[in-house]
Amino acid sequence: MGGVAGTAGVNPYVQLVRAPAALSVLGDTVTGAAAAGRPLRGRRLALPLASVAIYWSGMALNDWADRELDAVERPERPIPSGRISAPRALGVAAGLTGAGLGLAAVAGGRDALKVAAPLAAAVWAYDVVVKKTPLAPAAMAVCRSLDVLLGAGRSGAAKALVPAAVLGGHTLGVTALSAGEVHGASPARAAGALALTSASAAAAVSGRGGAPAHRVAALAAAAGYGVSVGSKQYAAVRKPTAAVVRTATAAGIHGMVPLQAALAARRGGVLGAGLVALALPLAKRLGRKVSPT
C-alpha cells in the first residue's frame, strides 16, 4: 500500500517503517488475548511489541521490494530519494523481524513462537513474492489474522479464530482497494471493500451471551468503525479516483482500531478495548505527518 503525505523533516527511518501506523497494530494481540481468555499480563505484555516489530519489518521490506517502482511513482520515499540505501533497508527489515521473534519468545515461549514464526514468514512471502500477484490481498489478510492469533498463542488459537477472520476480512478489502492509490480503482472494487467493512462490523458484535455492558461497548465501537471507514469507501464507490482511494485506504488502516476495540469488548476485554481505542486519535494525528500507507 502506498500513499502521499508531507514528510519534510521526518526521520527517514520513521518514514521507512511507517512508525505511527503501528498504533493500528497494537490491538491485534489485545483482541486475540481477549478471545482466548488470556489477558496480556506480565511477560505477555511484550506480545504487542513483537507484533509492532514484525509489522515495521514488513513496511521496510515493502519499500525494499518496491524500490524500482517507487523511483517512478513515489520518488519521495526514503530509498528512491537516496536517504536510505536499499541494503540498509533490507537490514532494517531483517533486524526488526529478529526483534519481533525475540520479543515473542520472551512473552510466550514456544507457544507464542509457533504463531510468530509463521507470521514473520507470511510477511516476508507477501512482500517478496506474493504482493505483485492476484493473491496479494488474501496474503495480507492471512498476515493480519496471524497477528491476532499471536495474542492468543498456539494453545488458544482456536478460540480466537472468529476475530482473526474478521480482521483478516477487513484487511482483504482495504488491501484490494489500495491497489488504486496511484491510478484509481474501479467502482466494483470499492464496493467490494465496502461490503467487507459492513460484514466485519456486523460480525464484530455477533454471537450469544456476554454481559450487557460488553455488548453495548462493542456496538458503539463497531458503529464508529462502520461510519468512519464505510463513509470513505462509499465515496470511493461514487468517485474512485486515486486521491479518494488513498483517503479510503488511510481510513481503512485507522479503522482497524475501533474494529479491534469492538471485537475485544464483545469478548469481555473492555479495559483492553478502551486502551486500544485511545490509539486512534494519536494515529490520525501522526498520520498527517507520516503516511500510514
Side-chain angles (χ1 to χ4, degrees):
M1 289 183 261
V4 176
T7 57
V10 176
N11 184 290
Y13 290 96
V14 171
Q15 187 183 358
L16 178 72
V17 301
R18 320 292 196 277
L23 291 168
S24 69
V25 177
L26 293 170
D28 284 350
T29 49
V30 174
T31 299
R38 304 179 66 191
L40 297 180
R41 300 191 184 109
R43 291 190 303 172
R44 281 176 53 78
L45 286 170
L47 284 176
L49 301 180
S51 173
V52 166
I54 294 173
Y55 177 86
W56 278 344
S57 76
M59 292 294 98
L61 190 62
N62 171 81
D63 279 18
W64 176 83
D66 283 355
R67 60 193 184 280
E68 294 180 1
L69 179 63
D70 285 347
V72 177
E73 295 184 346
R74 302 177 181 89
E76 76 282 355
R77 280 187 168 176
I79 296 177
S81 67
R83 290 174 292 152
I84 296 178
S85 68
R88 179 63 63 86
L90 183 60
V92 169
L96 285 168
T97 298
L101 294 174
L103 286 166
V106 169
R110 292 183 180 180
D111 185 59
L113 276 175
K114 287 180 179 179
V115 182
L119 169 60
V123 168
W124 279 74
Y126 170 80
D127 281 318
V128 178
V129 179
V130 185
K131 183 169 58 177
K132 297 180 181 180
T133 74
L135 295 176
M140 181 61 83
V142 169
C143 291
R144 200 78 194 207
S145 295
L146 285 171
D147 201 34
V148 175
L149 296 180
L150 179 60
R154 178 63 182 86
S155 60
K159 297 179 180 180
L161 288 177
V162 171
V166 171
L167 280 163
H170 169 79
T171 302
L172 177 68
V174 173
T175 306
L177 181 57
S178 73
E181 285 185 301
V182 175
H183 303 294
S186 67
R189 179 162 295 203
L194 178 59
L196 284 170
T197 293
S198 300
S200 296
V205 297
S206 64
R208 298 179 180 179
H214 298 165
R215 303 184 73 166
V216 170
L219 183 61
Y225 156 75
V227 171
S228 63
V229 178
S231 61
K232 299 299 187 296
Q233 291 176 341
Y234 179 67
V237 172
R238 299 186 63 184
K239 187 180 180 182
T241 62
V244 177
V245 168
R246 283 195 297 270
T247 299
T249 300
I253 292 173
H254 293 146
M256 289 284 186
V257 177
L259 181 56
Q260 292 159 347
L263 288 164
R266 184 66 182 83
R267 285 152 183 80
V270 175
L271 177 58
L275 293 174
V276 168
L278 291 175
L280 183 58
L282 183 57
K284 287 185 174 181
R285 181 177 179 180
L286 294 177
R288 299 188 186 101
K289 296 182 179 182
V290 180
S291 173
T293 64

